[in-house]
Amino acid sequence: MDTLDVDLGQRSYPIHIGTGLLSRPELLTSIGRRPMRLVTDAHVAEHYLTPVRELLSLDDEQILVLPAGETTKSMATVDQVMDWLLASRLPRDGMLVALGGGVIGDLVGFCAAIYQRGVDFVQIPTTLLAQVDSSVGGKTGVNHARGKNMIGAFHQPRLVLADTGTLATLPQREKLAGIAEVIKYGMLGDAAFFAWLERNMSALLALDDEAVRYAVYRSCEMKAEIVALDERESVDGGAGPRALLNLGHTFAHAVETYTHYTEWLHGEAVAVGLCMAADLSARLGWLAGRDADRCIALVASTGLPTRPPQGMRVDDFRTLMSLDKKVASGKLRLILLRSLGDAVVSADFDSQALDATLRHFGA
Amino acid sequence: MDTLDVDLGQRSYPIHIGTGLLSRPELLTSIGRRPMRLVTDAHVAEHYLTPVRELLSLDDEQILVLPAGETTKSMATVDQVMDWLLASRLPRDGMLVALGGGVIGDLVGFCAAIYQRGVDFVQIPTTLLAQVDSSVGGKTGVNHARGKNMIGAFHQPRLVLADTGTLATLPQREKLAGIAEVIKYGMLGDAAFFAWLERNMSALLALDDEAVRYAVYRSCEMKAEIVALDERESVDGGAGPRALLNLGHTFAHAVETYTHYTEWLHGEAVAVGLCMAADLSARLGWLAGRDADRCIALVASTGLPTRPPQGMRVDDFRTLMSLDKKVASGKLRLILLRSLGDAVVSADFDSQALDATLRHFGA
């Protein structure tokens, strides 16, 4: 097992990464004994509710099982969780536990942020995407018909328990969705890790224990460093270090909104976004053309999509990207690559190059 | 005009207090020029929307007018505000403005806390209660059928503009509701201010400019000091300085929940809660009996209620108080007086004394 610390002063917390963690109650001693409620979804409950119920000594009435899927990540579900927490009288010094993927983690983290003005919570991520990305860093929230993650809060967990053994039951599409975020870390901050991914992608796809452990560890390590520098994405008015984690995400959110969050997984949209960001960075003359090709080739080698959904037009991108949270004072900011492993936030790019990228990828 | 600073490091902000502030745009220069949206209620709009629209140079589509009253402080209204903000595309570096009393301030502050994971907001409180209490300190939130303020967040405003001239149009009941919170400050932290209130209550009730200015200033000053010590009510596990601001509030929340937030104003319920807290403190032998009598007499002298609603029974109090946010690990904590001007948080009081107080005040 590896343990990483997210260094945020009083809000610091450990991330434990390894196999078999769900049967190690000693990892939970740091949070103390207190009233708990666990929220999960039906798919995850089928596989992991039994061990986690035992790990945390929970009764049935302390567990809420929600429908699986992105549509659960809504204000309607927040209302449902609030009703349940209040009916079951979780006190303010109680603890919420999120057992599941990114949808459950984001939703439950947001509920923890606003229940009685904030209670503590623990993340037990069971998907690769959640383990390498969404369970770490305190971004929580739900979707709105007008945009993804439009309602939310920054609220750090007290502990992240990433049992990589849970990835064995992950459907292929969800595994790939997580790999998209892993590729993102290589592209945005570590060319050597990118090269490691090129060499080890088949081991990673086969869920080789050591390859998975290293990929999760290195991704979390990079995210923890960035979050420690810029917890609330507020440095430089949102153009600071944390914004770099959004590489490919402005394109990805447009794809997800276009498909109403139902057809594409977040990571699949991110895969396309990474290809588009690499393409644009090369058109601007910032990223070497061969390195942009390597990015697109690595995405393609996994089986992830490298193009937006059929029928999505240039104008669809333009409209949906203008609603992005990274639009500041009317100007679109994108995360772009100066070279492989070196991302920057920029609103100062040639809009004709963006048009060319949109035409290249759009219908 | 007086200006106070709430000292919270990067989240520090000024409170301007005085008459005629709504026609002084220079007070807003510190927040810069940026996209704004204003939310108010129908009663306040009638009196103050015209000057504030001019002060902030707002168009009609940048203004949302909600129904007046406590029922507006709900998750349903939060959904409505989110829809409106997203439809009107307020960017993340935009600013929300709350123009109104405690309901509008708490609601809009909460919307600012969760819109795109948090945007800045300005408080323009137009009731005495909001000027002396709810607009300062960053507590935001909405009610739930199972309890008051059960859903919310800590989110500090960037500026508070308390134009005491707006109190002239305040209905008598709302004015008294604010005076209850002013009395609270004297009781919890400043015996000299309490004595000043005894001497100057008729001037305050007559809205004498100088009396109002001093009462608002001294109340905000005390609140700012306490909030600076304990921003999130987290010191000593919620038993620290900020908890003292809840003097009388556990009883008051029970009254408000019992009357479904519709019949009693928050400040009216606080008035009763202050009397009950003084009574209990005297029964415990902590507060001198004559000082408890002074507290109840000062409340009574204003015309505020000193008894709970008819028919509210001892058991109603017991049930509703057990849901209070200040219940920690199953133990009820109350704010009590060791002497006039010296409040403490305590879970270590004789429960028979509490029973006696509940029997004395309940039906």
Side-chain angles (χ1 to χ4, degrees), chain A residues 98-132:
Chain A
L99 172 67
V103 166
I104 288 293
D106 287 3
L107 169 81
V108 175
F110 182 55
C111 290
I114 67 171
Y115 179 72
Q116 300 206 8
R117 293 200 193 94
V119 293
D120 286 344
F121 82 113
V122 167
Q123 291 271 21
I124 306 183
T126 59
T127 65
L128 184 56
L129 185 133
Q131 291 186 355
V132 299

Side-chain angles (χ1 to χ4, degrees), chain A residues 7-9 21 36 67 81 108 112 145-146 156 161 171 176 190 198 249 272 291 302 317-319 337 341 356 363:
Chain A
D7 183 7
L8 292 166
L21 305 192
M36 284 196 190
V81 175
V108 175
R146 292 181 189 272
Q156 300 291 341
L161 212 60
L176 293 181
D190 186 348
E198 289 179 315
H249 280 54
V272 173
D291 284 336
T302 65
F317 272 105
R318 286 211 185 93
T319 305
L337 297 180

Side-chain angles (χ1 to χ4, degrees), chain A residues 4-59:
Chain A
L4 269 168
D5 280 299
V6 184
D7 183 7
L8 292 166
Q10 285 191 315
R11 291 182 302 286
S12 295
Y13 55 93
I15 309 170
H16 301 303
I17 301 163
T19 54
L21 305 192
L22 299 188
S23 52
R24 293 181 58 180
E26 76 276 14
L27 297 176
L28 293 156
T29 48
S30 66
I31 58 172
R33 288 183 59 80
R34 40 176 149 170
M36 284 196 190
R37 301 290 182 275
L38 180 139
V39 181
T40 187
D41 73 38
H43 286 175
V44 174
E46 200 179 309
H47 295 292
Y48 302 109
L49 188 52
T50 301
V52 173
R53 174 192 279 154
E54 191 167 326
L55 179 76
L56 302 173
S57 311
L58 295 173
D59 301 327

Side-chain angles (χ1 to χ4, degrees), chain B residues 134-147:
Chain B
S134 61
S135 70
V136 173
K139 277 197 179 179
T140 73
V142 295
N143 300 325
H144 185 279
R146 292 181 190 270

Side-chain angles (χ1 to χ4, degrees), chain A residues 127-133 167 170-187 193-194 196-198 200-208 211-212 215-216 219 266-268 270-271 274 298-304:
Chain A
T127 65
L128 184 56
L129 185 133
Q131 291 186 355
V132 299
D133 196 44
L167 305 182
L170 205 59
Q172 175 70 2
R173 273 183 74 191
E174 298 220 21
K175 185 175 73 182
L176 293 181
I179 284 177
E181 297 282 356
V182 175
I183 294 172
K184 180 190 80 175
Y185 285 104
M187 284 173 62
F193 181 52
F194 185 90
W196 181 90
L197 287 170
E198 289 179 315
N200 293 277
M201 188 53 78
S202 53
L204 197 52
L205 290 170
L207 293 182
D208 170 81
V212 170
V216 174
S219 299
H266 174 63
E268 291 169 340
V270 167
L274 293 174
L298 183 58
V299 171
S301 75
T302 65
L304 280 162

